[in-house]
Amino acid sequence: MVEIFVRFLQRLASGEAWRDAHMRFWLDMRAFGVEVETPEGKVEQGIVAGSPHWKAALRVREVPCTDGLYRVYFRGEATPEEEQAVEFALAADTLLHDHERLKMEATHDPLTGCLNRKGLQEWFERRLRRYDNLEFVLVLMDFDHFKRLNDTQGHAKGDEALCAISQALEATKRATDVLARLGGDEFVLIFEACACHEGMIERLQQIKSRLPLQPYGLDVTFGVSCFPKHGKTLEQLLAQADLRLYQGKRRGVGQIVWGEEACHGSTAD
């Protein structure tokens, strides 16, 4: 029994998916078959043997977990070992998913669901370990007239605008790109594995055209920096993007500021 429990934990520690490790755990416990009904009602079946009618002659034990209702099929009567296994599986589920929930809360913005500053920093550190000097483009966004929206229509309307904008940004970015909210109306969009070139101006104009800005009386200013050309730390890249953002704000609203040199960036509308 103890060896089976340890093997289950080792699988999880090695990075095996919870569902796969959990199903294998029950097979190790001499279950005849395992299936799980997800919250969406989809049934995923584990390894089984026998005819298509194999369930009819077996006893089912239901184990409710975070990712769905597990049905574990056994021969014969329940045993004390089976009861211990159920308790162990439920405890492992609680510990694992509580840990995931706490990590999610620590690294994601509660309003929009995108990464927060801590989550962005963790992403950057992981990426640096994997790719070192592979280029990417960091875009700092600040929404013009957002304070006026909050002051005239209330913070609930401002929150609604931020959620709508973040959803639109998620829909326009590639799966490998990264979106984060630093706070207030300041967002970061990272174009992964993207070279630093003036074509970013047209790309950002296209993204801007897809954002729900007009219904909220907003515009957006972009400041762009490039890794590793403008910095090799996240703080350096954000500082350079913020410098360009400030240049754009001085010119007016709705600006895209991009440049080769960190302190002498070229600008374009």
Side-chain angles (χ1 to χ4, degrees), residues 32-51:
F32 190 81
V34 190
E35 65 184 16
V36 57
E37 182 177 347
T38 68
E40 297 76 28
K42 180 183 178 183
V43 176
E44 295 187 7
Q45 187 168 288
I47 302 171
V48 297
S51 70

Side-chain angles (χ1 to χ4, degrees), residues 1-10 25 29 84 88:
M1 278 284 290
V2 174
E3 291 180 0
I4 295 174
F5 291 177
V6 170
R7 197 179 308 143
F8 182 27
L9 295 177
Q10 287 174 337
F25 168 72
M29 288 296 302
Q84 292 174 20
F88 181 81

Side-chain angles (χ1 to χ4, degrees), residues 13 85 112 138 151 243 254 264:
T112 63
L138 183 148
D151 291 344
L243 175 63
H264 302 284

Side-chain angles (χ1 to χ4, degrees), residues 176-241:
T176 54
D177 295 337
V178 176
L179 177 66
R181 181 189 177 206
L182 300 186
D185 61 322
E186 200 168 57
F187 285 77
V188 167
L189 180 60
I190 290 177
F191 296 104
E192 177 64 292
C194 183
C196 192
H197 57 82
E198 293 187 10
M200 291 306 306
I201 296 174
E202 181 179 356
R203 189 168 181 179
L204 291 174
Q205 288 171 336
Q206 292 173 350
I207 289 175
K208 176 181 173 180
S209 69
R210 298 172 186 169
L211 298 182
L213 301 174
Q214 189 173 358
Y216 299 102
L218 301 176
D219 209 323
V220 59
T221 297
F222 299 94
V224 182
S225 63
C226 306
F227 175 86
K229 185 175 295 186
H230 299 142
K232 291 194 174 183
T233 70
L234 183 60
E235 290 77 11
Q236 290 170 343
L237 293 167
L238 287 171
Q240 294 303 326

